[in-house]
Amino acid sequence: MRSLKVIGIVLISLFLSVFKVHSQDLQRELNLSEEQKELLKTQKELIKKHRKAFKETLSQEQLTILKDKSLTKKERQNALKNTLNSFQKRIIKQNKVSVKNVKAKFRATLTPKQRQQLKRRMGNKKMMVRKNIKKKLNREKRRRIRN
């Protein structure tokens, strides 16, 4: 149960960061219709709204955890997850469901050509992520060897 919550939060975080970075390029690259552009805009606004609502529920202790620079990002996430109350967990779950629904609506409007371009783009992105992870792991190994 706990691992599902962790996975959910990590997936939401990843989705939000990836979507934010590439949404403008996506609009230009796929030649989106006005309806599709509006769906993307709505999705971005929804994500901002959910993020703001979640941040407003954070206690002082949780804010301190998020601001603690002595912890790695992963450690901060794990520490925060351990302090979430049932209301905050419910907010995260609802956010995930609403983003999933908006995403499904957007996917339903894509033409076959747009789908193909999107799949190609996501495949390239996954490859880049894997390369970056390998680089980080290699740097970490070298740093451990030095110490």
Side-chain angles (χ1 to χ4, degrees):
M1 183 72 161
R2 191 177 202 171
S3 62
L4 290 175
K5 293 174 190 171
V6 171
I7 291 170
I9 291 172
V10 170
L11 289 175
I12 289 172
S13 300
L14 288 173
F15 174 74
L16 294 177
S17 63
V18 169
F19 183 78
K20 181 179 177 186
V21 171
H22 297 288
S23 64
Q24 290 177 345
D25 292 339
L26 180 66
Q27 287 180 10
R28 278 184 251 123
E29 193 174 296
L30 296 178
N31 297 323
L32 299 177
S33 68
E34 290 303 316
E35 177 189 359
Q36 290 170 327
K37 289 177 185 178
E38 189 60 37
L39 280 172
L40 285 177
K41 185 178 177 182
T42 303
Q43 187 175 10
K44 283 171 48 173
E45 290 170 2
L46 181 67
I47 290 168
K48 287 179 186 178
K49 180 180 149 191
H50 289 306
R51 199 180 293 161
K52 183 179 178 184
F54 179 73
K55 283 182 181 180
E56 289 174 355
T57 67
L58 294 176
S59 68
Q60 191 59 42
E61 175 191 357
Q62 291 169 329
L63 290 171
T64 305
I65 290 170
L66 288 175
K67 292 177 183 177
D68 187 0
K69 297 297 181 186
S70 65
L71 301 173
T72 66
K73 184 177 180 179
K74 193 90 157 159
E75 290 170 337
R76 278 194 303 260
Q77 286 177 344
N78 288 333
L80 179 64
K81 288 172 201 159
N82 293 333
T83 64
L84 293 177
N85 61 39
S86 60
F87 178 70
Q88 291 169 326
K89 291 174 186 174
R90 199 168 355 137
I91 288 176
I92 291 172
K93 188 175 181 178
Q94 289 171 346
N95 293 350
K96 185 178 177 181
V97 169
S98 64
V99 166
K100 188 176 180 178
N101 290 339
V102 174
K103 207 173 168 183
K105 286 180 189 176
F106 175 74
R107 284 188 184 133
T109 66
L110 291 174
T111 65
K113 184 178 179 181
Q114 290 172 328
R115 286 180 194 274
Q116 185 181 27
Q117 290 172 333
L118 193 58
K119 282 181 184 179
R120 190 176 325 119
R121 179 188 170 114
M122 294 308 287
N124 291 340
K125 192 182 303 180
K126 286 179 185 178
M127 194 175 354
M128 292 303 294
V129 168
R130 286 183 191 133
K131 285 181 183 179
N132 288 336
I133 290 172
K134 285 180 183 179
K135 285 180 185 178
K136 287 180 183 179
L137 288 173
N138 287 334
R139 276 190 233 133
E140 187 65 29
K141 285 180 186 177
R142 283 182 282 197
R143 189 171 59 183
R144 287 180 187 163
I145 291 171
R146 288 184 207 149
N147 295 332

